[in-house]
């Protein structure tokens, strides 16, 4: 029997060759994971979101290392965003990667 395997992640896509593209998206806080209050703001539509600074990236991103400084407490949305997923590839390509 031949089993066709699909959706194999592209091995060339890793967070280590990315500039944290997905950390420029609006991150909605939909559950309590321990994100510090100082990093949360109310969006223009009234929901809680991660603050972004003028450079576009999430306030919790370390600008030097491009690592999340609140990794253990990062929002649920961040936990669900999969490396090498379709959404990941879209973000990378929109940022020229
Ligand atoms: S998940 Fe994708 S978009 Fe986000 S940092 Fe990793 S490679 Fe970049
Ligand atoms: S909380 Fe962390 S993983 Fe989520 S967008 Fe901000 S820096 Fe990225």
């Amino acid at each position: 029997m031949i089993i066709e395997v699909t959706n194999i992640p592209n091995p060339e896509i890793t967070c280590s060759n990315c500039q944290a593209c997905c950390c420029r998206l609006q991150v909605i806080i939909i559950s309590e994971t321990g994100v510090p209050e100082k990093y949360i703001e109310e969006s223009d539509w009234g929901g809680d979101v991660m603050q972004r600074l003028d450079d576009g990236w999430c306030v919790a991103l370390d600008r030097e290392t491009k690592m999340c400084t609140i990794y253990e407490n990062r929002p649920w949305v961040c936990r669900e965003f999969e490396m090498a997923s379709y959404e990941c590839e879209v973000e990378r390509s929109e940022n020229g990667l």
Side-chain angles (χ1 to χ4, degrees):
M1 179 171 59
I2 297 173
I3 300 174
E4 186 180 352
V5 179
T6 57
N7 297 327
I8 299 172
N10 181 342
E12 292 177 4
I13 296 181
T14 82
C15 297
S16 59
N17 64 16
C18 187
Q19 291 292 305
C21 301
C22 55
C23 296
R24 302 181 83 152
L25 291 167
Q26 183 178 67
V27 174
I28 304 168
I29 311 287
I30 55 176
S31 60
E32 173 56 48
T33 58
V35 175
E37 284 292 325
K38 63 181 179 180
Y39 291 162
I40 300 173
E41 67 182 7
E42 188 176 316
S43 70
D44 49 9
W45 49 269
D48 286 344
V49 296
M50 291 298 294
Q51 282 182 45
R52 283 178 287 181
L53 302 184
D54 290 345
D55 59 12
W57 274 296
C58 172
V59 66
L61 185 77
D62 183 312
R63 269 51 180 173
E64 295 293 318
T65 64
K66 299 291 187 290
M67 305 280 279
C68 179
T69 60
I70 57 165
Y71 190 78
E72 296 299 322
N73 297 101
R74 69 197 187 287
W76 183 83
V77 168
C78 304
R79 298 167 196 238
E80 291 295 305
F81 196 96
E82 279 186 46
M83 184 180 77
S85 64
Y86 172 76
E87 293 80 6
C88 166
E89 290 204 49
V90 168
E91 287 315 306
R92 288 174 62 104
S93 67
E94 286 185 358
N95 285 275
L97 296 175

